[in-house]
Amino acid sequence: IAKEVAKLLEMKAQLGGDEGKHKFVLKTPKGTRDYSPKQMAIRERVFNAIITCFKRHGAEVIDTPVFELKETLTGKYGEDSKLIYDLKDQGGELLSLRYDLTVPFARYLAMNKITNIKRYHIAKVYRRDNPAMTRGRYREFYQCDFDIAGQFDPMIPDAECLKIVHEILSDLQLGDFLIKVNDRRILDGMFAVCGVPDSKFRTICSSVDKLDKMPWEEVRSEMVGEKGLSPEAADHIGEYVQLHGGLDLIERLLQDPKLSQHKLAKEGLGDMKLLFEYLTLFGIAGKISFDLSLARGLDYYTGVIFEAVLLQQENDHVEESVSVGSVAGGGRYDGLVGMFDPKGRKVPCVGVSIGIERIFSILEQRVEASEEKIRTTETQVLVASAQKKLLEERLKLISELWDAGIKAEVLYKKNPKLLNQLQYCEDTGIPLVAIVGEQELKDGVVKLRVVATREEVNVRRESLVEEIRMRTSR
Amino acid sequence: IAKEVAKLLEMKAQLGGDEGKHKFVLKTPKGTRDYSPKQMAIRERVFNAIITCFKRHGAEVIDTPVFELKETLTGKYGEDSKLIYDLKDQGGELLSLRYDLTVPFARYLAMNKITNIKRYHIAKVYRRDNPAMTRGRYREFYQCDFDIAGQFDPMIPDAECLKIVHEILSDLQLGDFLIKVNDRRILDGMFAVCGVPDSKFRTICSSVDKLDKMPWEEVRSEMVGEKGLSPEAADHIGEYVQLHGGLDLIERLLQDPKLSQHKLAKEGLGDMKLLFEYLTLFGIAGKISFDLSLARGLDYYTGVIFEAVLLQQENDHVEESVSVGSVAGGGRYDGLVGMFDPKGRKVPCVGVSIGIERIFSILEQRVEASEEKIRTTETQVLVASAQKKLLEERLKLISELWDAGIKAEVLYKKNPKLLNQLQYCEDTGIPLVAIVGEQELKDGVVKLRVVATREEVNVRRESLVEEIRMRTSR
């Protein structure tokens, strides 16, 4: 049988070749997807919640190109740089797709000499990562960034970023969540007192960053085996990274004989204490955990860092199947703008990025499970006819409605059946039908039908717009 | 002197080299730009007008990735294909940035076996063209596309597309405009009766397409000289492409002894007549010109084609300086989906694309000229204090306001001066200031100041949210 199958397959291939037709692969590129109208409806709900929050906090909005000069991105992402998409050299400048919105933002600030701005930016970014699309990990994905740039008193903008994450995650009703915070200065102090050589800070930091995906034992062996750290230093780190808590832990570490002697760590701990005071004033300290294992992968952070994770709910069957991790992250990057400024002038920045794809995965699955019917259009009325030969009359009426700002549709048929027209309303959720007929035309009225109740009333043509507005203004 | 300069320059270069600093170019890639908050505010007005119109016509919305498999774009754009941006081959699939939204739409329909949809899609597309940025021509630019796919009775969806262009251009108040229409079948018929060989139809069509930028003499010499058309055929075409008009011209051509004998041309003219009847019902025939010189560059059109141009207003100094051309274009492409379907199944489509960048250029210049002050945030109230040491109280109050959905800001300073806080409101257009002070805290009130009138009232803290809502609901 196998032989026969092989022969048939070969014949098939030959046949394909004879037709001169190249086997065309009908797909989107690896790690990307289309959004259907239904998915777009869910996505727009999420965007609305996020944008509303950003605007509530007084943010302006900017936009930057999808690609940057390659050198703009060079040296900003540490070990992640290998994931950057480059464009082909077709003559002219060497370009890369943006990897995040933070580096383009810093480039924008330096280029326009802006030293003070609070802005949001919602756009797609690109990473040649291994996609895990069922868990909301894509190569093309949206980031929703809010950043505050400027020289301000300590920790006030930082606290606002955390407030924003708290507001958005609460608003979207994604279930329980926790926001982990740490500080790069505390991490560096920790590495110093554990005996990590200065030159290994960044690479050991990358290892610590893997603690949310790997057990400590593996991270430890990466540190010792691959990165050549002494076992004693690793074990010492191992003790610190288990620590998490609130003000109590901050106080304890401020008393830590070694850490409190480290200038940067002490500064970081002092700021962390201040941050928790502000978070308490905002009423959100209960959802924040100071966590020494939080490291964040990117190179450019210089102070506070944070990451929000959704907590698995054991009783919620819908969400159990989606393993979500981090849904928001960010931190302070006081040196990045200076990397672009010809004179190295610094603009302190702190910001947060909401990871919309994972949130979207959860909401999409929730909608699927609930069998909630989502409308993908906003059409208020279908202009229909009961008899034949009324296309002209339908077009005249719908034109009047459009010009009055009514959202209206008509079937693109000369003589559609009334049943088909009503069915279209059922399928798409259109609440009203405006029916023209010979008699109605003579009488100067239009028959308005409510799809849900099948109620029908004759409305004078000159009152139709008002009547439709009233009936669809809920 | 030149020698000295050269020496100095060399020294400077060496110095740069010594510092190990590479001269960094701080710019966006050629043909692209950032959008500042003010530009974004204008852009969002335009998008809102367009999206409102698309929704009024019952469109759903979809989204597709910014890049496609390279082969998805191959063979769809004719002579324009050389302008496609390719991604670098970094292992894996060969990818290109999308050149328009139409081909990805057709790919989406074929891939999902959709035979019936009315959708819009607003996204950036990419063309390695020679940018002319002052005239709104970029390498990265937005397209706002509305398309109707499905097997319907002739010219009803086509007429709706023209109605949409008319509504949007009227709504945006860009001044007088004209929508030129033609039909690829009429063009092909015209080429046939003029003696153009079949094999030269597409390339001669490309030449005709240049008539809006070049005089006829140049186009003629391209046809004859570069493309090897006989002078007689070219002259014959020259007579036809001067023709433009309305129903009268259609009737005349239907009587044209040669053209009326050409099957496709006759079909096209019949449909054109029907189209004008529908446009008359929509009340927009006055702005439509049947124009035999309209050709459209892209290969995939099969029937009606159209293009909207703004008419220069001689008395309007603002617009005189911006030379805008086409601001919208589109047409029927009945074969494109079939190119993606493994069995070649066709889905007839017609659609329109609004060219937002040129519209944006005009509006931006108009705003500059009018000195209209555009707000870039929506903040309703600044939470301020008159005395020192009230940061905590300000944070507590603003947190209450945020939680109640009020758009509020606070200066990120421990002890800001009241004058600076009021100045911030003036600069950014914030209408209200909520001032906390020792006395107000004791009395359980907040002092609410109206920035424009300097009026101040004490509002009980529990009524503050309601009071702000009332005062900012215009």
Side-chain angles (χ1 to χ4, degrees):
Chain A
I1 289 170
K3 231 177 167 180
E4 282 300 306
V5 168
K7 218 187 261 179
L8 280 167
L9 280 176
E10 202 180 317
M11 278 170 68
K12 197 179 159 193
Q14 256 177 335
L15 249 153
D18 283 346
E19 288 177 350
K21 273 221 176 177
H22 159 69
K23 176 83 181 96
F24 186 78
V25 188
L26 202 56
K27 68 185 281 293
T28 61
K30 183 178 176 189
T32 69
R33 61 170 161 180
D34 298 317
Y35 279 82
S36 71
K38 205 168 148 191
Q39 291 171 318
M40 285 297 281
I42 301 171
R43 198 175 96 178
E44 300 219 321
R45 278 191 204 174
V46 181
F47 279 156
N48 276 341
I50 292 172
I51 292 172
T52 301
C53 176
F54 290 165
K55 286 188 172 173
R56 190 158 58 233
H57 288 263
E60 304 181 277
V61 57
I62 69 159
D63 194 20
T64 65
V66 82
F67 42 61
E68 295 278 345
L69 297 185
K70 185 174 164 61
E71 57 178 356
T72 297
L73 307 190
T74 304
K76 310 297 187 305
Y77 300 107
E79 293 180 6
D80 287 353
S81 294
K82 61 183 183 298
L83 304 179
I84 294 174
Y85 276 98
D86 292 330
L87 269 74
K88 190 167 151 184
D89 182 2
Q90 293 170 291
E93 301 159 331
L94 291 181
L95 307 173
S96 301
L97 296 185
R98 61 183 163 210
Y99 183 82
D100 66 5
L101 302 178
T102 308
V103 169
F105 175 55
R107 192 265 307 144
Y108 173 79
L109 294 186
M111 192 172 134
N112 296 286
K113 301 192 173 50
I114 296 167
T115 55
N116 197 325
I117 191 173
K118 180 162 55 179
R119 80 89 181 83
Y120 71 91
H121 187 187
I122 296 185
K124 288 174 177 175
V125 301
Y126 299 87
R127 301 186 182 180
R128 296 179 55 256
D129 217 335
N130 263 336
M133 313 218 285
T134 48
R135 286 185 290 137
R137 258 181 57 181
Y138 291 86
R139 290 182 155 199
E140 173 187 63
F141 59 97
Y142 267 98
Q143 286 198 332
C144 306
D145 279 26
F146 173 99
D147 292 81
I148 301 171
Q151 186 69 58
F152 301 116
D153 282 330
M155 307 318 282
I156 316 178
D158 314 61
E160 185 169 5
C161 288
L162 293 172
K163 174 79 170 110
I164 283 174
V165 175
H166 191 280
E167 283 179 22
I168 290 172
L169 295 183
S170 305
D171 197 17
L172 289 172
Q173 298 181 290
L174 298 168
D176 207 11
F177 61 87
L178 187 72
I179 307 174
K180 299 179 190 173
V181 294
N182 197 0
D183 192 299
R184 273 285 165 90
R185 292 168 296 173
I186 300 175
L187 274 170
D188 285 356
M190 178 181 96
F191 293 143
V193 304
C194 291
V196 178
D198 283 17
S199 63
K200 289 201 159 77
F201 275 16
R202 285 282 78 77
T203 186
I204 294 301
C205 192
S206 281
S207 298
V208 171
D209 185 46
K210 294 174 183 163
L211 274 173
D212 56 342
K213 287 160 212 139
M214 279 186 199
W216 165 250
E217 279 314 314
E218 278 179 49
V219 172
R220 184 187 181 280
S221 80
E222 180 182 299
M223 287 177 176
V224 176
E226 283 175 42
K227 303 191 169 171
L229 191 66
S230 73
E232 297 72 34
D235 291 335
H236 203 159
I237 293 173
E239 283 162 37
Y240 275 114
V241 296
Q242 287 170 29
L243 304 175
H244 51 91
L247 265 175
D248 50 330
L249 176 60
I250 300 170
E251 296 290 359
R252 220 170 81 209
L253 291 178
L254 276 169
Q255 307 307 322
D256 182 299
K258 284 191 225 152
L259 214 52
S260 62
Q261 293 310 305
H262 189 275
K263 189 173 166 289
L264 283 177
K266 203 180 156 195
E267 263 180 47
L269 286 165
D271 278 349
M272 189 60 71
K273 193 174 161 189
L274 194 57
L275 178 68
F276 266 81
E277 284 167 22
Y278 295 155
L279 298 176
T280 305
L281 289 170
F282 287 161
I284 60 169
K287 294 268 190 221
I288 318 279
S289 169
F290 170 41
D291 188 325
L292 284 172
S293 73
L294 179 71
R296 303 277 301 154
L298 299 173
D299 259 16
Y300 50 61
Y301 292 116
T302 55
V304 166
I305 49 177
F306 49 86
E307 200 164 292
V309 290
L310 297 184
L311 300 177
Q312 212 73 10
Q313 283 154 306
E314 288 192 23
N315 293 325
D316 191 332
H317 292 290
V318 178
E319 276 163 55
E320 240 176 347
S321 52
V322 207
S323 163
V324 287
S326 147
V327 289
R332 179 163 282 282
Y333 49 101
D334 288 348
L336 192 56
V337 178
M339 289 176 76
F340 290 107
D341 189 278
K343 293 184 183 159
R345 279 167 298 209
K346 289 190 175 180
V347 178
C349 296
V350 64
V352 56
S353 182
I354 311 288
I356 172 107
E357 309 297 340
R358 287 166 185 199
I359 293 173
F360 173 77
S361 287
I362 297 168
L363 292 182
E364 193 183 12
Q365 229 170 312
R366 195 179 286 175
V367 166
E368 287 304 325
S370 76
E371 291 174 31
E372 180 194 350
K373 225 181 165 182
I374 291 190
R375 276 198 76 180
T376 53
T377 67
E378 298 176 7
T379 309
Q380 296 165 292
V381 61
L382 182 80
V383 174
S385 60
Q387 295 112 334
K388 291 193 169 185
K389 296 198 181 166
L390 287 171
L391 173 61
E392 282 77 9
E393 291 299 336
R394 281 191 287 138
L395 294 184
K396 237 157 90 180
L397 179 59
I398 199 169
S399 184
E400 286 172 31
L401 294 178
W402 284 331
D403 292 343
I406 298 292
K407 294 168 191 155
E409 286 184 70
V410 65
L411 293 199
Y412 305 121
K413 294 268 168 199
K414 278 185 101 135
N415 298 308
K417 294 196 177 107
L418 185 61
L419 203 68
N420 290 346
Q421 297 175 85
L422 296 178
Q423 188 59 47
Y424 183 77
C425 293
E426 296 277 1
D427 294 345
T428 60
I430 300 176
L432 298 172
V433 195
I435 305 171
V436 289
E438 299 291 357
Q439 193 56 47
E440 286 84 1
L441 286 169
K442 270 185 212 145
D443 298 344
V445 298
V446 172
K447 186 176 281 169
L448 196 63
R449 179 182 168 114
V450 180
V451 175
T453 62
R454 299 181 184 185
E455 173 201 352
E456 290 186 347
V457 282
N458 279 340
V459 179
R460 293 216 57 78
R461 186 140 174 166
E462 56 272 23
S463 318
L464 183 63
V465 167
E466 201 42 53
E467 185 72 23
I468 292 170
R469 274 199 201 124
M470 204 197 63
R471 284 177 180 266
T472 51
S473 68
R474 70 197 83 166
Chain B
I1 290 169
K3 230 176 166 180
E4 282 301 304
V5 169
K7 219 188 261 178
L8 281 166
L9 280 175
E10 201 181 317
M11 277 169 70
K12 198 179 160 193
Q14 256 177 334
L15 248 153
D18 283 347
E19 287 177 351
K21 273 219 177 180
H22 158 69
K23 176 82 183 97
F24 185 80
V25 188
L26 201 57
K27 68 186 280 294
T28 61
K30 185 179 175 188
T32 69
R33 62 169 160 180
D34 298 316
Y35 278 83
S36 71
K38 205 168 149 190
Q39 292 171 318
M40 286 298 281
I42 301 171
R43 197 175 97 178
E44 300 218 321
R45 278 191 203 175
V46 181
F47 279 156
N48 276 342
I50 293 172
I51 293 172
T52 301
C53 176
F54 290 164
K55 286 188 172 173
R56 189 159 60 233
H57 288 263
E60 303 182 279
V61 57
I62 70 160
D63 193 20
T64 66
V66 82
F67 42 61
E68 295 278 345
L69 297 184
K70 185 175 165 60
E71 56 178 356
T72 298
L73 307 191
T74 304
K76 309 300 187 303
Y77 299 107
E79 294 180 6
D80 287 351
S81 294
K82 62 182 182 299
L83 303 180
I84 294 174
Y85 275 99
D86 292 330
L87 269 74
K88 189 167 152 185
D89 182 2
Q90 294 170 291
E93 300 160 333
L94 291 181
L95 306 173
S96 301
L97 296 185
R98 61 183 163 210
Y99 182 83
D100 66 5
L101 302 177
T102 309
V103 168
F105 175 54
R107 191 265 307 145
Y108 173 79
L109 295 186
M111 191 171 134
N112 296 286
K113 300 192 173 52
I114 295 167
T115 55
N116 197 324
I117 191 173
K118 180 161 57 179
R119 79 89 181 84
Y120 72 91
H121 187 187
I122 295 184
K124 289 175 176 174
V125 302
Y126 299 87
R127 299 186 183 180
R128 295 180 54 256
D129 217 336
N130 263 336
M133 313 217 284
T134 48
R135 287 186 290 137
R137 257 180 60 181
Y138 291 86
R139 289 182 157 198
E140 173 186 62
F141 58 98
Y142 267 98
Q143 287 198 330
C144 306
D145 279 25
F146 173 99
D147 293 79
I148 300 171
Q151 187 68 58
F152 301 116
D153 282 330
M155 308 317 283
I156 315 178
D158 314 61
E160 185 169 5
C161 288
L162 292 172
K163 174 80 170 108
I164 283 174
V165 175
H166 191 280
E167 283 178 22
I168 290 172
L169 295 184
S170 305
D171 198 16
L172 289 172
Q173 297 181 288
L174 298 168
D176 206 11
F177 61 87
L178 186 72
I179 308 175
K180 300 179 188 172
V181 295
N182 197 0
D183 192 298
R184 273 285 164 89
R185 293 167 296 175
I186 301 175
L187 274 170
D188 284 356
M190 178 181 96
F191 295 143
V193 305
C194 292
V196 178
D198 283 17
S199 62
K200 289 201 160 77
F201 275 17
R202 283 285 77 78
T203 184
I204 293 301
C205 192
S206 281
S207 298
V208 171
D209 185 45
K210 294 174 184 163
L211 274 173
D212 56 343
K213 287 160 213 140
M214 279 187 200
W216 164 250
E217 280 314 313
E218 278 179 49
V219 171
R220 184 185 181 279
S221 80
E222 180 181 299
M223 288 177 175
V224 177
E226 284 175 42
K227 302 191 171 171
L229 191 65
S230 74
E232 297 72 34
D235 291 335
H236 203 156
I237 292 174
E239 284 163 37
Y240 274 114
V241 295
Q242 288 171 29
L243 303 175
H244 51 91
L247 265 176
D248 51 328
L249 177 60
I250 302 169
E251 295 291 1
R252 220 169 82 209
L253 291 178
L254 276 169
Q255 307 306 321
D256 181 299
K258 285 190 224 153
L259 213 52
S260 62
Q261 294 309 305
H262 189 276
K263 190 173 165 289
L264 282 177
K266 203 180 155 193
E267 263 180 47
L269 286 165
D271 278 350
M272 189 60 72
K273 193 175 161 188
L274 193 57
L275 179 66
F276 266 82
E277 284 168 21
Y278 295 155
L279 298 176
T280 306
L281 289 169
F282 286 162
I284 61 168
K287 294 268 191 220
I288 319 279
S289 169
F290 170 42
D291 188 326
L292 284 171
S293 74
L294 179 71
R296 304 277 301 153
L298 299 172
D299 259 16
Y300 49 63
Y301 292 117
T302 55
V304 166
I305 48 177
F306 48 86
E307 200 165 292
V309 291
L310 297 184
L311 301 177
Q312 212 73 12
Q313 282 155 308
E314 289 192 21
N315 293 325
D316 191 332
H317 292 289
V318 178
E319 275 163 57
E320 240 176 345
S321 53
V322 206
S323 163
V324 288
S326 145
V327 289
R332 179 162 282 283
Y333 49 101
D334 288 348
L336 191 56
V337 178
M339 289 175 76
F340 290 108
D341 189 277
K343 292 185 183 159
R345 279 167 298 208
K346 288 189 176 180
V347 178
C349 296
V350 64
V352 57
S353 182
I354 311 286
I356 172 108
E357 309 298 339
R358 287 165 185 200
I359 293 173
F360 173 77
S361 287
I362 297 168
L363 293 182
E364 193 184 10
Q365 230 171 311
R366 195 179 287 176
V367 166
E368 286 305 324
S370 76
E371 292 175 30
E372 181 195 350
K373 224 181 165 183
I374 290 190
R375 276 198 76 179
T376 53
T377 67
E378 299 177 7
T379 309
Q380 297 165 292
V381 62
L382 183 79
V383 174
S385 60
Q387 295 113 334
K388 291 192 170 187
K389 295 197 182 167
L390 286 170
L391 173 63
E392 282 76 10
E393 290 300 336
R394 282 191 287 140
L395 294 184
K396 236 156 94 179
L397 179 58
I398 200 169
S399 184
E400 285 172 33
L401 294 178
W402 284 331
D403 292 344
I406 298 292
K407 295 168 191 152
E409 286 184 69
V410 66
L411 293 199
Y412 303 122
K413 294 269 168 198
K414 279 186 99 135
N415 298 310
K417 294 197 177 101
L418 185 59
L419 202 67
N420 291 345
Q421 296 175 84
L422 297 178
Q423 188 58 47
Y424 184 76
C425 293
E426 296 277 1
D427 294 345
T428 60
I430 300 176
L432 298 173
V433 195
I435 305 170
V436 288
E438 298 292 356
Q439 193 57 46
E440 285 84 1
L441 285 167
K442 270 184 211 146
D443 298 345
V445 297
V446 172
K447 187 175 282 169
L448 196 63
R449 180 185 168 110
V450 181
V451 176
T453 62
R454 301 180 184 185
E455 172 202 352
E456 290 187 346
V457 283
N458 278 341
V459 179
R460 292 215 57 79
R461 186 141 176 164
E462 57 272 23
S463 317
L464 183 62
V465 166
E466 200 41 54
E467 185 71 23
I468 294 170
R469 273 197 202 125
M470 204 197 64
R471 284 178 180 266
T472 51
S473 68
R474 73 198 86 167

